[in-house]
């Protein structure tokens, strides 16, 4: 091949690879504070508001659904994690879709009374945060908006309807512990759950 043609092709390939490394790796994603707080969401009581950016070091966002049995099964675990790390992180549940307020209220009362839950009926915030399934969690460094972790809570659920006898990897809790101890955080795992559908 002509060297005059080969050199531009190599440069193009390098540039495309650099672009993909910079923008597609989950661990490199940064969420803008003003963007996150600009979306209009509803509280459990139905009142519209904007998500407040917490003063704590971390923000843990969990996509949840009152109709998803996996979310209900994970509720005790999520409550336990919040109680353990509440001094370091703010824990927020986002419920995407057109669920009735009464269903959300019942879900919070029975499953996650200690969590702040919000309804994203427009799905705009969910799309911005790239939520795919419920349950799915994100850990965001509030100092710079850096996405530290996104994915499964742990590896208990193998597939829909199939779970492990013993949990080997506590992804969410490990991400929190590693951040607190200034250790690297595995940025991404594939969550298993109920698909978030557009209503």
């Amino acid at each position: 091949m002509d060297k005059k043609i080969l050199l531009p092709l190599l440069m193009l390939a390098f540039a495309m690879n650099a672009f993909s490394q910079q923008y597609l790796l989950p661990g490199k994603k940064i969420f803008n504070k003003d963007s996150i707080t600009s979306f209009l969401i509803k509280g459990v009581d139905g009142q519209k508001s904007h998500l407040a950016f917490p003063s704590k070091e971390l923000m843990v966002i969990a996509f949840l659904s009152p109709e998803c049995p996996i979310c209900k099964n994970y509720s005790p675990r999520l409550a336990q994690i919040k109680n353990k790390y509440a001094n370091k992180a703010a824990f927020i549940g986002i419920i995407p879709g057109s669920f009735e307020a009464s269903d959300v209220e019942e879900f919070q009362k029975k499953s996650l009374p200690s969590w702040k839950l919000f309804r994203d009926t427009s799905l705009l915030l969910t799309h911005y945060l790239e939520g795919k399934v419920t349950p799915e969690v994100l850990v965001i460094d509030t100092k710079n908006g850096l996405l530290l972790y996104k994915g499964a809570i742990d590896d208990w659920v193998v597939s829909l309807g199939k779970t492990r006898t013993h949990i080997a990897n506590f992804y969410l809790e490990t991400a929190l512990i590693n951040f607190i101890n200034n250790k690297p955080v595995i940025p991404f795992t594939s969550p298993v759950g109920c698909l978030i559908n557009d209503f």
Side-chain angles (χ1 to χ4, degrees):
M1 181 180 289
D2 190 336
K3 290 183 179 180
K4 291 182 179 180
I5 298 175
L6 181 60
L7 182 59
L9 287 175
L10 288 173
M11 291 178 66
L12 178 61
F14 177 82
M16 291 178 66
N17 181 64
F19 178 87
S20 65
Q21 291 297 312
Q22 182 179 0
Y23 292 101
L24 299 184
L25 284 179
K28 297 293 184 182
K29 189 166 187 67
I30 294 177
F31 292 112
N32 183 277
K33 173 181 176 180
D34 294 332
S35 295
I36 289 179
T37 57
S38 68
F39 293 102
L40 199 61
I41 52 177
K42 293 181 180 179
V44 175
D45 58 2
Q47 294 295 316
K48 294 181 180 180
S49 65
H50 295 278
L51 189 65
F53 215 73
S55 58
K56 296 182 180 180
E57 294 179 67
L58 298 171
M59 178 164 59
V60 176
I61 296 176
F63 290 107
L64 303 166
S65 169
E67 294 180 350
C68 179
I70 301 175
C71 290
K72 294 176 182 178
N73 290 334
Y74 263 117
S75 293
R77 179 69 182 142
L78 288 173
Q80 181 185 38
I81 291 173
K82 179 186 181 295
N83 291 338
K84 192 172 181 179
Y85 298 97
N87 62 325
K88 290 287 184 180
F91 292 80
I92 298 162
I94 302 294
I95 299 178
S98 302
F99 292 102
E100 294 293 334
S102 57
D103 294 334
V104 178
E105 288 175 7
E106 184 177 4
F107 174 69
Q108 182 175 41
K109 183 179 179 180
K110 290 185 177 180
S111 301
L112 288 169
S114 66
W115 275 60
K116 288 185 178 180
L117 299 186
F118 297 93
R119 297 162 57 205
D120 181 21
T121 54
S122 68
L123 296 174
L124 293 176
L125 177 59
T126 300
H127 288 159
Y128 177 72
L129 297 174
E130 300 178 358
K132 303 298 181 186
V133 303
T134 59
E136 181 177 12
V137 293
L138 292 81
V139 180
I140 299 172
D141 184 342
T142 58
K143 181 179 179 180
N144 51 24
L146 179 66
L147 177 63
L148 300 171
Y149 173 72
K150 185 175 187 289
I153 298 165
D154 54 40
D155 65 357
W156 176 58
V157 179
V158 180
S159 60
L160 293 179
K162 184 178 180 182
T163 58
R164 288 185 170 87
T165 305
H166 300 288
I167 299 170
N169 296 290
F170 296 86
Y171 301 125
L172 173 57
E173 188 166 13
T174 299
L176 297 173
I177 292 171
N178 285 1
F179 174 84
I180 292 168
N181 293 299
N182 295 312
K183 293 182 179 180
V185 176
I186 297 173
F188 180 80
T189 61
S190 296
V192 178
C194 307
L195 288 176
I196 297 173
N197 297 312
D198 289 352
F199 288 85

